[in-house]
């Protein structure tokens, strides 16, 4: 459980990070909570880790009708953010409170979690339900990608070799909205066996997404959740069969929608 020999460099600017990431087997290091374990298992064997933790990509602020979250914002910083106290964004805090332990929440970043694209990770479902967009930067320039288009499969994203997530942008839901995240955790790992996020507005359900049940980190559930989950490709493993996960996801969707609807009453 010791990583293979690896070189380390700390990026002092985005441009510096791009220069360092030009090395073919280099890898970005943010909080290290996912990368270091896979390096210890030698699943990942980068020749160079590029530490981006000192870049100015941290912080949470509301700009106009959008919430901007820097990719290096830690789970703990999200929990402390007053901007997230509104019922329409309650799903974010609800999700973060269930992630890992104190150390993971202190070091782990939201950008690192999205880039790692673990199919059992919690936040992708929340950001999908909230209709978030990711801002990406590479030497070629900047581009925006909706969360729905970012995940390509388990541990696979649309990021290109030298590309970084810089910000997560959440459109502020209309007044009178509520959101919620509900999950059942795997008792050993604490990751979601299944999780569901919902955004409900004055006119009814806006979007629902689930995690932990499909090959990719999040799956949009449109229309009748039972029918949508029946039609979706759900995976099973030694911990829970596909049939069990489908049923569990369906129950969690119902609970998330109910809780989000309840919260609409608290959003002026
Ligand atoms: C014990 C434990 C329990 C956990 N429990 C949960 C849980 O319950 N739910 C859950 O969802 N997660 C859980 N996690 C995962 C945790 O949330 C992630 O490990 C963490 O958020 C990843 O962020 P990081 O900054 O540490 O990323 P790193 O480990 O530094 O990087 C992860 C990956 O993302 C890439 N990367 C990092 N930042 C960027 C960026 N800005 N742009 C592009 N690529 C980038 C890296 O190259 C690497 O491939 C757990 C982890 C541990 C160790």
């Amino acid at each position: 459980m010791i990583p293979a020999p690896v070189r380390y460099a700390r990026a002092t600017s985005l441009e510096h990070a791009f220069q360092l990431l030009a090395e073919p087997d280099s890898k970005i290091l943010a909080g290290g909570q996912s990368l270091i374990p896979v390096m210890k298992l030698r699943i990942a064997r980068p020749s160079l880790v590029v530490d981006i933790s000192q870049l100015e990509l941290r912080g949470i602020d509301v700009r106009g009708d959008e919430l901007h979250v820097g990719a290096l914002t830690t789970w703990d910083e999200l929990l402390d953010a007053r901007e997230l106290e509104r019922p329409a964004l309650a799903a974010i805090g609800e999700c973060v409170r269930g992630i890992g332990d104190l150390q993971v929440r202190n070091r782990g970043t939201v950008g690192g979690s999205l880039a790692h694209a673990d199919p059992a990770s919690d936040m992708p479902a929340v950001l999908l339900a909230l209709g978030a967009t990711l801002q990406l930067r590479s030497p070629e320039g900047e581009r925006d990608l909706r969360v729905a288009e970012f995940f390509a499969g388990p541990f696979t994203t649309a990021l290109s070799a030298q590309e970084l997530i810089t910000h997560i942008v959440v459109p502020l839901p209309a007044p009178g909205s509520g959101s919620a995240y509900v999950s059942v955790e795997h008792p050993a790992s604490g990751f979601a066996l299944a999780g569901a996020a919902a955004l409900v507005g004055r006119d009814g359900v806006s979007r629902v997404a689930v995690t932990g049940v499909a090959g990719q980190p999040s799956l949009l559930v449109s229309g009748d959740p039972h029918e949508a989950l029946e039609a979706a490709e759900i995976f099973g493993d030694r911990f829970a069969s596909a049939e069990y996960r489908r049923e569990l996801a369906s129950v969690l969707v119902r609970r998330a929608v109910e809780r989000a609807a309840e919260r609409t009453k608290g959003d002026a």
Side-chain angles (χ1 to χ4, degrees), residues 30-51:
Q33 298 303 299
S34 288
L35 182 60
I36 301 295
V38 294
M39 284 173 61
K40 284 185 170 177
L41 292 169
R42 303 205 176 193
I43 296 166
R45 297 181 67 150
S47 56
L48 170 71
V49 289
V50 178
D51 183 348

Side-chain angles (χ1 to χ4, degrees), residues 27-28 30-35 75 100 104 109 112-113 115 121-122 165 190-191:
K27 202 102 178 91
I28 294 168
Q33 298 303 299
S34 288
L35 182 60
W75 299 128
V104 172
T109 64
S113 168
S121 56
D122 295 270
I165 305 171
F191 276 81

